[in-house]
Amino acid sequence: MGRSYHVPAELRAGPFAESTALTLISRAELHGPAYQRLLRGVYMVAGEVTHADRIRAARIVLPRTAVLCCMSALWVHGVTLADSGADVDVNFPAARRPRPRQYLRLHSDQLLPDEVVETAFGLVTTPARTAFDVARGSEVPAAVARLDALVRATRCTAQEIRSIAAAHPGVPGVRRVPTAIGLVDPGAESVRESMLRVVLTLAGLPRPVTQYVVRNANGAFVARVDMAWPEWRVIVEYDGKHHDDPRQIARDRARINALQLVGWTVVVVDRRQFADPETVVAIIQKVLRDAGAPC
């Protein structure tokens, strides 16, 4: 059995400054196995570290005027896609930009007053400004997946994002924004599902309906599916890792059989197949063509 260590209650809530810790424990204890360093001068109890912990650690050493942006702003707005080890994205005016620090990704973009909001994590770019930065800073499939989740979480609108873009016409990546906005669909329920939909659409296939409810001839519910082309009765389902569970496999097979019995063609794409998107596109394109779709 591993040795247990006494940790003062004041240090259990999350990241803390070294100066705070040294009023409660010795320097030797702080540098021992019960604690871990997150940033220079900032520690927390040893254990799992989330992106929220890294944000809180950054807030201890950064000025209040620092604004969380990009993936860290996504996290604050409820889209928790940043890896636990990801750097914290922080925006400063260029003239006040501090020296680089480990685990901080520094930005110096112009932010207008109405593009920043106060939150429990301090100053953060608004959902619309966050969406703008995500749309211009990532390749389209990844950007749209993040935007789908952000729009679903915050109800940010396409017009709000376009207004931000209009106010910053010359910034890097701004030309990507209209394409990304045009592909947003908050009905998607996972990043990979969003990316699959975007890959299919950019390949020229008709745009599917997300989270489509299939009913039988009597109007009874059969299933709600990831994406569908109702006109041609074709369905595409994305199976993530949780579909590997034997019990889930049995449920999936019963569900597919039920859909086929009411006249739908079902294509299932898993994460291994999606590693070869060109083949996935070709398969779905053929299925749609055979069903009469103009693609």
Side-chain angles (χ1 to χ4, degrees), residues 191-222:
V191 168
R192 289 290 183 174
E193 184 184 324
S194 292
M195 293 180 71
L196 174 57
R197 186 193 76 248
V198 172
V199 166
L200 297 175
T201 303
L202 292 177
L205 276 62
R207 188 163 178 166
V209 178
T210 59
Q211 302 308 313
Y212 184 77
V213 174
V214 176
R215 299 183 183 277
N216 65 18
N218 297 320
F221 176 85
V222 177

Side-chain angles (χ1 to χ4, degrees), residues 1-179:
M1 181 178 294
R3 180 181 174 186
S4 61
Y5 298 90
H6 171 69
V7 175
E10 297 91 335
L11 304 182
R12 295 176 189 165
F16 49 81
E18 179 180 29
S19 57
T20 299
L22 293 179
T23 66
L24 300 165
I25 60 175
S26 69
R27 189 175 298 276
E29 288 176 302
L30 180 61
H31 294 167
Y35 303 95
Q36 59 189 322
R37 192 176 85 160
L38 299 186
L39 293 169
R40 183 178 179 183
V42 182
Y43 294 76
M44 70 176 288
V45 176
E48 181 181 0
V49 179
T50 67
H51 194 65
D53 291 326
R54 296 204 180 278
I55 291 173
R56 292 188 180 99
R59 280 298 179 202
I60 293 173
V61 299
L62 294 174
R64 185 187 177 283
T65 53
V67 181
L68 298 175
C69 60
C70 303
M71 293 299 291
S72 296
L74 275 179
W75 181 282
V76 173
H77 292 307
V79 183
T80 56
L81 297 178
D83 293 335
S84 60
D87 293 346
V88 176
D89 287 298
V90 190
N91 195 86
F92 296 86
R96 300 179 184 176
R97 183 167 174 161
R99 62 179 176 80
R101 283 178 178 263
Q102 186 180 20
Y103 298 125
L104 298 183
R105 184 181 296 111
L106 305 181
H107 304 256
S108 296
D109 298 314
Q110 179 192 29
L111 298 177
L112 301 179
D114 62 355
E115 295 172 2
V116 178
V117 63
E118 182 76 54
T119 73
F121 288 89
L123 297 178
V124 181
T125 52
T126 62
R129 174 66 203 219
T130 303
F132 171 69
D133 289 333
V134 167
R136 69 189 181 89
S138 310
E139 294 300 322
V140 171
V144 174
R146 294 163 182 166
L147 292 177
D148 283 353
L150 181 61
V151 170
R152 186 169 64 250
T154 67
R155 299 186 180 180
C156 172
T157 68
Q159 185 52 50
E160 289 172 334
I161 306 169
R162 292 189 185 99
S163 295
I164 299 290
H168 302 275
V171 301
V174 69
R175 293 184 179 180
R176 295 177 180 167
V177 176
T179 299

